[in-house]
Amino acid sequence: MNLPLDTPAVLVDLDIAEANVRAFQSYCDSHGLQLRPHIKTHKLPRLAKFQVQQGAIGITCQKITEAEAMVANGDIHDVLLTYNILGREKVARLRALSDRVRLSVVADNITVAQGLSDGFADAATPLPVLVECNTGADRCGVATPAAAAALAQAIEDLPGLQFAGLMTYPPAGAATAVTTWLAEAKDLIETTDLTVDVISSGGSPDMWRAHEMPMATEYRIGTYIYNDRSLVTRGTCQWSDCALTVLATVVSTPTETRAVIDAGSKVLTSDLLGLDGFGHVLGHPDLTIDQLSEEHGRIVSDAPTGLSVGDQLRIVPNHACVVANMLEHVTLLRGDKILGPEPVAARGQVW
């Protein structure tokens, strides 16, 4: 049955999203782990508020404008920015944000730390700064435990700043190695007068194994609220746990084994995450979205697709987070009931 919606559309089933939030909050509660969800997945203040209401200690954001969008209605009071904030104008904006919420940030180098100090030197309350650590994912982060200890002391010595702990985005399946790395850093730091009060870890792929790294005091996680094809493929969730889908319409059936839908890279995005194809067509495991242009998605099959022009398909994207950023609004559902459009408040907030 076709839904009375113009396509392509991004649909969010609130029943599924809320169930996902409650399930992982319950897991964290049972393991004594504080949950700090990353809003980059949904970018919706109403869902951030729901996450906090269920027990999250606050939220995680990457960029300042993203955080500003999340706290605008006054429901969120604790934000961790897990990104190196660099530049006088950005630091000034960060300072203004710190007047509105309990704010903490990260740094992995002295240049960033010095810039933060320049903006907060005369603040009434020091800015809490966590040292970002590269524990194997090879993105940002200091390279060694010794470097983490050195930067922790430098942060503590800078005016307006307070060393607040360690933060990492670990590689999946490496809990033992990550624990060893962080334990060494913690020991080195605590040989001085500093304490490591927060160890912030995260990642959706290992979400049900978060307890295997008991050193972590909080867990940052984003995709879990929606889930996506990448997490189903990893065995983290099932198709029925995927709250975000793309609704698309078949606009052409040039051959029996080929069809074209009205959702291309501008909606499904080009993210592959190591997968073949650009999403999973629910109810049609035999169909493959093998090719995208901006406005077209090509579907192929070894046998007749059985599709007709005008048919609607629901697609679980490879990566929900980037799809949520593509349109100005998502359409909220509860099961088959359409609730209506919801503006994506933090869409495009990259500053």
Side-chain angles (χ1 to χ4, degrees):
M1 181 180 69
N2 286 2
L3 293 174
L5 293 170
D6 287 332
T7 62
V10 176
L11 312 180
V12 173
D13 190 319
L14 289 179
D15 286 344
I16 299 175
E18 290 171 2
N20 292 339
V21 170
R22 286 192 293 266
F24 194 64
Q25 184 66 59
S26 177
Y27 167 86
C28 289
D29 291 345
S30 68
H31 290 284
L33 190 60
Q34 294 182 317
L35 178 60
R36 183 183 289 277
H38 205 315
I39 61 82
K40 71 181 179 67
T41 298
H42 57 74
K43 304 174 180 66
L44 302 180
R46 70 180 289 158
L47 289 183
K49 179 181 179 181
F50 181 81
Q51 289 169 310
V52 171
Q53 288 174 333
Q54 300 310 301
I57 61 169
I59 64 171
T60 304
C61 297
Q62 289 288 78
K63 298 299 184 71
I64 300 167
T65 50
E66 194 177 59
E68 289 170 341
M70 287 297 108
V71 306
N73 58 12
D75 293 321
I76 303 299
H77 306 287
D78 191 307
V79 178
L80 168 64
L81 277 175
T82 52
Y83 202 88
N84 281 331
I85 303 300
L86 192 62
R88 185 175 300 175
E89 291 185 14
K90 290 180 181 177
V91 172
R93 202 155 176 172
L94 192 71
R95 173 75 179 267
L97 181 63
S98 73
D99 292 335
R100 303 171 60 189
V101 297
R102 183 182 183 277
L103 179 68
S104 51
V105 301
V106 304
D108 75 350
N109 62 81
I110 193 61
T111 301
V112 167
Q114 183 63 64
L116 294 171
S117 176
D118 291 344
F120 282 81
D122 62 347
T125 303
L127 175 68
V129 182
L130 285 73
V131 172
E132 183 169 1
C133 304
N134 176 20
T135 55
D138 292 339
R139 195 166 62 182
C140 292
V142 295
T144 65
L151 184 56
Q153 188 62 62
I155 288 169
E156 183 69 19
D157 291 342
L158 283 169
L161 305 186
Q162 173 191 1
F163 168 70
L166 303 173
M167 169 265 177
T168 189
Y169 183 75
T176 300
V178 172
T179 297
T180 299
W181 199 108
L182 293 172
E184 183 179 347
K186 184 175 185 289
D187 288 345
L188 287 172
I189 292 168
E190 291 185 342
T191 60
T192 68
D193 292 333
L194 299 179
T195 59
V196 182
D197 295 325
V198 175
I199 296 181
S200 180
S201 185
S204 293
D206 276 351
M207 58 187 285
W208 301 115
R209 301 174 62 183
H211 65 282
E212 294 179 8
M213 201 178 81
M215 285 192 64
T217 63
E218 67 175 35
Y219 203 76
R220 307 180 323 278
I221 187 170
T223 312
Y224 83 113
I225 190 170
Y226 286 165
N227 292 311
D228 56 22
R229 185 183 175 210
S230 74
L231 292 184
V232 174
T233 302
R234 288 175 177 269
T236 306
C237 62
Q238 305 297 319
W239 296 119
S240 58
D241 300 317
C242 294
L244 181 145
T245 55
V246 172
L247 182 69
T249 300
V250 177
V251 295
S252 179
T253 53
T255 72
E256 285 189 339
T257 59
R258 177 162 52 93
V260 178
I261 55 175
D262 60 357
S265 62
K266 288 166 70 174
V267 177
L268 289 170
T269 81
S270 57
D271 272 21
L272 286 172
L273 299 183
L275 303 171
D276 293 325
F278 296 91
H280 171 78
V281 184
L282 288 174
H284 297 274
D286 55 319
L287 302 182
T288 300
I289 307 171
D290 76 325
Q291 191 177 102
L292 299 179
S293 58
E294 285 186 90
E295 305 291 359
H296 300 85
R298 188 174 79 172
I299 292 178
V300 295
S301 178
D302 293 333
T305 65
L307 299 176
S308 300
V309 172
D311 287 348
Q312 286 185 348
L313 301 173
R314 289 179 72 168
I315 301 161
V316 177
N318 291 345
H319 190 187
C321 305
V322 288
V323 171
N325 193 53
M326 298 306 289
L327 302 182
E328 293 181 351
H329 69 271
V330 296
T331 298
L332 302 182
L333 312 173
R334 286 198 182 276
D336 294 330
K337 182 179 179 181
I338 298 172
L339 304 182
E342 179 84 0
V344 184
R347 176 181 184 255
Q349 301 297 346
V350 298
W351 197 79

